[in-house]
Every structure is written in C-alpha cells, then in structure tokens.
Amino acid sequence: MNPSSIPEIVCIGETMALVTPTDAALSQARTASLGLAGAESNVAAGLAAAGRCAAWASRLGNDPLGVRISSELERRGVELWVELDQEAPTGVMFKDPGAEGSAVHYYRRGSAASRMDAGYLSAERIAGVRIVHTTGITPALSATCRQMVDQLFIDARAAGALVSFDVNDRRALWSLADAAATLARLANAADIAFVGRDEAERIWGTATAEEIRAFLPDCALLVVKDGDIGATAFDGDVDPVFVAAPVVDVVEPVGAGDAFAAGFLAATLDGLPMAERLQAGHVSAERVLTIAADMPPID
C-alpha cells in the first residue's frame, strides 16, 4: 500500500467480483454481466462522487478480477490502498435473480481480503485521516479480520480519526450468536454507527429506534435507518433527530444503505447540522434505489 496523499476518509473491507445473470436465473443463464460488490468500496465511491477525498483499503488477488475491481474504483476517483496477494484469489459473488427477490452465493472463503490481520492499517499509516469506516461484514470474514477490526478501532483513535461502523449483518457469513455479540460490541464502541431497524430486531430483538439506542448506549452518534420510513440520529444526550425518507419507486434496494452512509459521512465532513446529514443520506440512497446496481453510473 502506497497512499499518495492523506484522504479525508478511509474505508476498509472486502470487494468481490459480482456475476449477475442477464437472461435467466443463475442455473439456466447463458449470459451474465460482471461488476463489483463491496459495502466499504461502495461508500468510498459515494464519497468520491460527492467530491470528498476517499480511499479504499483492502487486499485483492493478483488476478484479472482484482485488476477489474481496482480499475473501476480508480475510474470513480477512489484512492487505492491495496495489497496484492500472490496466492489467495479475489472473492466472487454470484447474484441469482428470482420473482421473490435476488439470492446471493459467495465464493470468498480463503480470499485475499480474508487474510487481513491486526495492524493492517496502523496508526502511523492513517495519521491525518479524519474518519475510518468499516462494516460488520469485515469481522465476519475470518478470525484474523475480526482481530484486524478490533485493532483498527484502537489505531484509528490513536491517529485522531473517528471510527465509523455500519452493522451490515450478513446472515450467510456467520452464526447469529457470533454476529449478535460482535456487532453489538463494535457498534457500541464506534464514534458513528449505522444500523437498520429491521436487522437490529433480527439479531438483537430490539423493535424500535429507541430500544436500539438503549441497547447501544455508549455509541457517540447512532443512526437508525428504518427503510422507507426514515432515519433517526441519536447524538450524545441531545434530543434525537428524525428525517423522513423520500417516496421512491424502488428498482432494487441493494447498495442503498452504503449510499446513505456515504451521503451522511460526506455531510459530516462538511460539518452540517444533523438534519441535513440525514437528508444527505436519503438523497444519496435514493439515487441507488432507482437503479439495478450498487453504484450509480458515472456522469
């Protein structure tokens, strides 16, 4: 990793090649499109699109899929802090569209990114960065990734950066018990945490935004997203702020949460009031909800 500048925000996590059938369900498809899928790189790309200096940190296989991912993110203005693995491959995700929604199939066990370990981003390397962002997907990848995220929280604070954490529970990656305990611990320790009300109910049994806040009392700034209803920010001891979501004709919801985080964090870097940060998150998410892709096309 050879960062050429000091970005305002660094997003760390795995990005995979995404294969999506274009003519039928996966088992019958004859043609498919090839893209990329990764929560943290989605956020980095959204921040870059908003004019912020954003970096994405991870590991990729030294293979054509890794080149494709790097090239696409560079094209979107994201600075790459990437190590290439000569042995482990870039992860792959297959999407299987169906009448009741899309299923996904991961081929990421043993991937290059899953080999990240404690100290991957040291305090010295991220000195000057304002925010370090990751998600609950990263600690689910491997034991070493979980150790890396724990150390990341320590090193980010030592470097003077805020820690941003999106719960982003992925049921296919680990047990409910492991997820519930680890995600609660990390979200509660974050300076900024994002969580969907529905995923919180699924993993913690909390039914309302207020219950989630009570469950995560130590998180400095907690943002609870409630789908098409709106989002609530709990910032310290001040009264919570709620901003309703816009009415949107949804094409596909995948990636909207990452877009929301990008919009909110960009507005946070701008020092905007809380209601305007939430509104920026909604506007960013709306762009993704109306397309069948994780990231909007480049203008």
Side-chain angles (χ1 to χ4, degrees), residues 158-177:
L162 297 175
V163 175
S164 170
F165 181 75
D166 192 333
V167 169
N168 237 333
D169 177 49
R170 293 292 186 268
R171 284 290 73 247
L173 294 179
W174 51 354
S175 72
L176 181 59

Side-chain angles (χ1 to χ4, degrees), residues 42 106 238 299:
N42 285 347
Y106 293 127
V238 303
D299 295 333

Side-chain angles (χ1 to χ4, degrees), residues 132-150:
V132 175
H133 176 79
T134 191
T135 77
I137 300 169
T138 306
L141 297 178
S142 66
T144 61
C145 279
R146 197 175 307 186
Q147 294 163 6
M148 184 274 290
V149 173
D150 285 338

Side-chain angles (χ1 to χ4, degrees), residues 15 61 68 72 88-89 92 99 122-123 153 189 197-199 201 204 231 239 249 258 274 294:
T15 294
R68 187 180 183 101
E72 175 64 16
V92 180
S122 65
F153 275 48
R197 189 207 59 76
D198 54 347
E199 69 179 343
E201 185 170 13
W204 300 322
D239 291 339
D249 291 327
D258 304 327
M274 193 59 65
D294 289 9

